[in-house]
């Protein structure tokens, strides 16, 4: 189960970062190294914590 969680988390991080950098590329924005590190940190937090928190909220509201 832990392996499945890690695979799902890594895949989600990859998809989110791909979408973020695609948006940056299409709009022609310039990023600094610190911007990339902050984006990576925020994506990790969103995938590993926030998505599960939202799932918990949705289940509790459904019940």
């Amino acid at each position: 189960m832990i392996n499945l969680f890690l695979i799902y988390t890594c895949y989600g991080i990859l998809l989110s970062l791909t979408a973020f950098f695609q948006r940056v590329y299409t709009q022609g924005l310039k990023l600094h190294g610190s911007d990339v590190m902050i984006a990576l940190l925020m994506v990790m937090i969103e995938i590993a914590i926030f998505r599960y928190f939202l799932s918990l909220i949705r289940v509790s509201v459904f019940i």
Side-chain angles (χ1 to χ4, degrees), residues 1 6 10 13 18 24-27 29-30 32 34-37 41-42 44 46-47 49-51 57-58 62-63:
M1 196 66 175
L6 291 175
C10 290
I13 288 170
T18 302
V24 168
Y25 177 74
T26 57
Q27 290 188 346
L29 302 173
K30 302 294 182 206
H32 295 90
S34 62
D35 295 333
V36 173
M37 295 307 285
L41 177 68
M42 295 307 279
M44 285 182 184
E46 188 258 334
I47 296 293
I49 297 171
F50 191 65
R51 282 192 185 178
I57 297 297
R58 287 179 185 140
F62 180 74
I63 291 173

Side-chain angles (χ1 to χ4, degrees), residues 49-62:
I49 297 171
F50 191 65
R51 282 192 185 178
Y52 293 108
F53 179 70
L54 282 178
S55 296
L56 176 67
I57 297 297
R58 287 179 185 140
V59 167
S60 65
V61 168
F62 180 74

Side-chain angles (χ1 to χ4, degrees), residues 8 20 40-41 43 55:
Y8 173 76
F20 173 74
L40 182 62
L41 177 68
V43 165
S55 296

